Amino acid sequence: MAVYSMTGYASGQQAAPQAPAGQETKGTPAGRLGLEIRSVNSRFLDLTFRLSEELRQHEPALREMIASKIRRGKVEVRGALESAAGDSLREPTPRLLQRLNTLQDSVRSWLPDARALSVADVVRLSAAEGSADVDWTEPLAELARRTIGELVAAREREGARIATMMLGHLRQLRELAQQATPLVPKLVEQQRTRFLERWKEAMALADGAALPEAAQDRALSEATAFAIRIDVAEELMRLGSHLEEIERLVKKGGEIGKRLDFLIQELHREANTLGSKSAALELTHISVDMKVLIEQMREQVQNIE
């Protein structure tokens, strides 16, 4: 399966269906239907619709179609009927003009200060009447399927880019872990040398005032505490395990965003511990480089579905 980003955009237009025989209207009927869908990252699927009055009845069907293809993201859907070219305006019918005149007289009998209808108002209402005669159910469904498909394809392309970036960062993190692994026995050897030096100092300072066993216990205690503090072998092992799991998920694809987000947090925790336990400058530099890469991955994982 592919990796999908939650960021995408798609738009499309659909011409009005042909009127049935014997029901042709004078002038251009309803123009075109326009649909625009954009999505950004979100924890859950959050759908927002901004549809014109003529299309609001189709919102449940659009919601169901989008939810069947998209699992996460803040998705905004805009739909409207676009009028045809300006040189082919719909001419109001006498019946419509009579109805508008009657309604206007009725309103102004109660509201004398109400504004009279303008020519632009009459043309707009005439176009709305033409749109009401058109059944947009099938054209809207066809346009929605096409536009949603384009949105999913755009999210897939962005997801592929993110997956490629993440796999590259995983390789760099493995290289850093490999650089850190040989440093662990080196630090242990440094601790052994320090232990011998402290033991000799303790024996020299004892001079019969303290028992050799007490001095030895003190030196061993200090050496053990320091060895535990600088041991990063466990952190490197867990970090390698997390890297393998992240790579497996990225190659598997699908709905992996939430799991990746958790694993990135674990990676960051291990890198932090690696830095806090560092007893050598080289290990500190490796920890910093790891955290930079992990932070870059975290920003991209926020966009994965």
Side-chain angles (χ1 to χ4, degrees):
M1 295 179 65
V3 175
Y4 292 92
S5 168
M6 287 186 283
T7 302
Y9 173 85
S11 64
Q13 291 184 337
Q14 179 78 18
Q18 295 294 329
Q23 297 185 15
E24 290 83 358
T25 56
K26 189 174 182 180
T28 302
R32 294 169 299 178
L33 170 64
L35 191 65
E36 180 183 88
I37 309 178
R38 64 181 69 217
S39 67
V40 294
N41 61 318
S42 176
R43 292 184 62 191
F44 308 100
L45 180 59
D46 181 7
L47 295 175
T48 303
F49 291 86
R50 303 184 186 278
L51 305 176
S52 61
E53 188 66 31
E54 302 87 350
L55 301 177
R56 288 183 182 175
Q57 59 180 318
H58 302 290
E59 179 179 325
L62 289 173
R63 184 180 295 273
E64 183 177 351
M65 293 177 68
I66 294 173
S68 67
K69 298 294 184 180
I70 296 175
R71 297 292 182 266
R72 289 180 65 199
K74 181 177 178 60
V75 182
E76 180 180 346
V77 182
R78 293 179 180 268
L81 295 178
E82 303 173 358
S83 61
D87 58 352
S88 56
L89 295 175
R90 177 182 173 84
E91 182 179 340
T93 62
R95 180 184 177 187
L96 175 63
L97 292 173
Q98 183 179 4
R99 287 171 53 198
L100 292 176
N101 186 58
T102 301
L103 289 172
Q104 179 175 249
D105 290 342
S106 176
V107 171
R108 298 190 73 180
S109 66
W110 289 94
L111 302 171
D113 297 332
R115 180 178 63 84
L117 288 172
S118 65
V119 174
D121 293 333
V122 174
V123 172
R124 178 175 55 82
L125 292 171
S126 176
E129 183 188 45
S131 299
D133 296 335
V134 178
D135 183 6
W136 287 102
T137 302
E138 286 303 319
L140 180 59
E142 179 183 347
L143 177 60
R145 283 191 291 269
R146 187 168 68 247
T147 308
I148 293 172
E150 293 176 359
L151 176 68
V152 172
R155 289 162 60 112
E156 182 178 356
R157 289 192 298 271
E158 179 66 14
R161 186 191 67 80
I162 294 175
T164 300
M165 182 279 297
M166 291 193 63
L167 291 175
H169 281 15
L170 289 175
R171 286 193 294 270
Q172 295 181 59
L173 286 170
R174 282 198 177 95
E175 291 174 0
L176 291 172
Q178 290 173 0
Q179 294 175 22
T181 301
L183 295 177
V184 177
K186 180 180 178 181
L187 294 176
V188 172
E189 180 60 28
Q190 290 178 353
Q191 170 57 17
R192 178 177 177 276
T193 302
R194 184 173 300 181
F195 163 73
L196 293 175
E197 292 176 352
R198 290 193 176 186
W199 167 250
K200 293 177 180 179
E201 292 176 359
M203 292 301 295
L205 292 174
D207 196 23
L211 294 176
E213 292 79 3
Q216 183 178 9
D217 290 343
R218 179 179 177 182
L220 287 173
S221 177
E222 291 181 1
T224 302
F226 185 76
I228 294 175
R229 185 172 67 84
I230 66 171
D231 185 13
V232 295
E234 186 176 351
E235 283 74 16
L236 290 174
M237 181 184 66
R238 286 197 298 263
L239 191 141
S241 176
H242 295 330
L243 293 178
E244 290 179 2
E245 180 64 12
I246 292 174
E247 183 175 3
R248 186 188 70 81
L249 289 174
V250 171
K251 291 182 177 179
K252 173 186 175 184
E255 300 173 35
I256 59 175
K258 292 182 178 180
R259 295 188 64 183
L260 285 178
D261 187 48
F262 170 76
L263 289 170
I264 290 296
Q265 294 180 26
E266 293 300 307
L267 273 183
H268 200 274
R269 180 179 293 110
E270 300 303 338
N272 268 334
T273 306
L274 191 67
S276 64
K277 285 188 172 184
S278 174
L281 188 59
E282 298 94 328
L283 204 56
T284 301
H285 289 162
I286 290 175
S287 173
V288 171
D289 291 341
M290 281 184 172
K291 287 189 282 188
V292 170
L293 291 171
I294 293 171
E295 188 60 34
Q296 292 174 353
M297 293 174 63
R298 185 204 300 274
E299 293 176 359
Q300 296 299 325
V301 164
Q302 301 300 319
N303 291 321
I304 294 181
E305 186 177 46

